[in-house]
Amino acid sequence: MIIHILLAAFYIENCISFNILVYSPAFANSHQNFMGHLADTLTDAGHNVTLVVPIADEGRRNVLGIKTTKQVVFIELDEIAKKEIVAVDSSMTSLWTEVATAEDTEKNFFWFTDLMEKTCANVMRSKTLLDELKSKDFDVAIIEPLSVCGLGLFRKLGIEKTILSTSCAHYDFLFPWIGEPNHPSYVPATTSPTNDKMTIRERFENYKYYKYMRDNMEILFDKEEQLYKKYYGDEISTWKELLPSASMYFTNSNPFIDFPRPVIQKTIPIGGISVNMDHILSQKLPKEWDEILDLRPKTMLISFGSMVKSHEMPDNWKSNLLKVIKSLPSVTFIWKYESSDTEWSKNVSNVYFSRWIPQTALLVDNRVSAFLTHGGLGSVNELAHCGKPALMIPIFADQTRNSKMLARHNGSIYLDKHELGNYEVIYSAISSILFDESYNLNAQRLAQIIANQPVKPKDLVIQYTEFVAKHGPFPTMDPYVRNLNFIQKHCLDCFFLYYSSYIISKTAVIISVSIVVFKITNAITSGGCK
Ligand SMILES: *[C@@H]1O[C@H](CO)[C@@H](O)[C@H](O)[C@H]1NC(C)=O
Ligand SMILES: *[C@@H]1O[C@H](CO)[C@@H](O)[C@H](O)[C@H]1NC(C)=O
Ligand SMILES: *[C@@H]1O[C@H](CO)[C@@H](O)[C@H](O)[C@H]1NC(C)=O
C-alpha cells in the first residue's frame, strides 16, 4: 500500500505538466524555426506550451516552425504599427556581392533594431495581451535575447522563471551582461569572418565585430526598456538586471562542432535540437527524386537557403557555376532555384532545378555525395548529423562563422563567395569534395561523434526547463564578475600590488645589505689603517 502511494507520488512528481511560454517575434525564418523547435520539444515532452508571436514582419506570420505545439497567441499590428512598419525588404539581391565590415554593423542591422523597437511599442500598446496571458499562469517563459521587450512583459506578468535561448551558436554581445567570459582573441564573434586562429589584424577585426554589435544592441535594449517602463511601470527592473536574472541560457551550439570557449554553469548548449534523425531516416524519397538520383554515379545538391535567392546571383557567377557543372558530366547537380526561367542553362543536361528540395531526405541518401551550401546554422547542423561532405560558400550574417566552424572538422571546404566567379577555384573545390574520400570519412566521423554524444540536446532542453520550473530561479549562479570593473576583473591591481611589493621588498633587502656591507668595509678599512 505504502509502496503504491510512493510510486504514485513519484509518478506525479515526474509527469507534472508545466505551462510554458515561448516568445518568438515573427521577423526572420531561421530564428522562428529554432524557437518553434524548442516549443515542440517541450510540447512533445508533455508540457502545455504557448507560442507568443509578436508580429513584426506580416509576411512571416506562417513561418512558426511548430508542428505539435497548438496554442499560438499572435500580437497583431495595430493601426499605428501598420503605418510605421514598412515591409522588410524582401529583395536580398545586394547581399550576394556585399562585403560587410564590422563598421557596417549599425547600418546593416538597422532594419532589425528599428523593427524590434516598433514591434515592442506595438506589443506594449496591446490592450488585451496582459489579461490573456495572465490567465494562463505560466511557470516558465523562454525568449531569444535579441530583444528585451518580452523580458519586461514576463516581469509584468509576474513570471520569475525565465530562460534565454539563442538561435545562433552564441551572442557574444551578451557575455559581459550575464558574466560569461569573452575572448575575442580566439572565439570568433557571431558575424565575424575569422577563424579561431587569428593574426593581429584579424583579432582587431573580430574584436570590432563584437564591440559594434554590443553597442548597437545596448541602444536597442535601452529604447525597449524605456517603452516597457512607460507602459508597465517604472518598478519593472532594468534590462541589465533582467538578463542575468534568467535561470538558464540555452545556446544553439553543439560542443562537438563549435569553436571551443569557456562558459558559465548556466549556459547549456542545445545545438542540434532541430535535427530529428529518427524522422529524417524514416522519410521516403518521392519517386521523382529517386529517379534523379539514379541518373549518374554521383549527385551533388546546391542550395543557398531561403533568404538570398539563387536566381538573383550575379549572372557571371551563375554561368561560371554552370560551366563547372558542364565539365563534370558524371555528376548530377540538383540546384534549389526559385525561378522557372532556366533558359540560360538549356545546353547543360546534368543540372536539375527545383524551387523546393527534400533536403534532409536527400542528405541521408547514399547516392548523394556532397552539398554546396550557404552555411545557415540549420543546414550546418543537418550536414554534421548526416555526415555529408560540403562546399561551404556563406553569403552573410553568421554564415561565415558557421562555415568555418564546420570546415575545422575537415569534412567540408570553405570558400569566399567572390570565388563563385572563378572557374579554377570552384572546379577544384567541387572535384575535391566529390572525389577525395578523406572529406567523406571526416564528415562521417563527426556524424558518429554527434550520434553518440553522451547527453542528447533534446533531453537537456526538457530536463533543464523542468528543473527551472520546479526549482528556479538561481540567483546564486549569477557570477559576481558583473560587479567588477576592468582593473578588478583582470586583477591588474593585484598584479601591480604583488610585483610592486615584491620589488619593494627586494629593493629593501638590497639596500640593507649594501648598508651593512658599506659599514663593515668602512669599519675594516678605517680600523686597518690605524
Ligand atoms: C493548457 O493551457 C490552456 C491555456 O492556459 C488550458 O486551457 C488547458 O487546460 C491547459 N491544458 C493542460 C493539459 O493543462
Ligand atoms: C548552346 O549551344 C549552342 C551551340 O553550341 C550555342 O550557339 C548557344 O549559344 C548555347 N546557348 C547557351 C544558352 O549557352
Ligand atoms: C584537419 O586537417 C588539418 C591539416 O591537415 C590537421 O592539422 C587537423 O588536425 C585536421 N583536423 C581534424 C579534426 O581532422
Side-chain angles (χ1 to χ4, degrees), residues 17-19 46-50 71 132 135-138:
S17 160
F18 293 108
N19 284 333
H47 297 293
N48 201 353
V49 182
T50 305
Q71 301 177 78
E132 183 178 3
S135 69
K136 293 187 185 256
D137 197 18
F138 290 109

Side-chain angles (χ1 to χ4, degrees), residues 389-410:
L391 175 56
M392 322 281 303
I393 307 190
I395 311 299
F396 75 112
D398 62 338
Q399 296 168 0
T400 309
R401 187 189 192 278
N402 303 337
S403 302
K404 291 192 169 174
M405 166 179 96
L406 192 65
R408 282 170 77 237
H409 299 276
N410 295 349

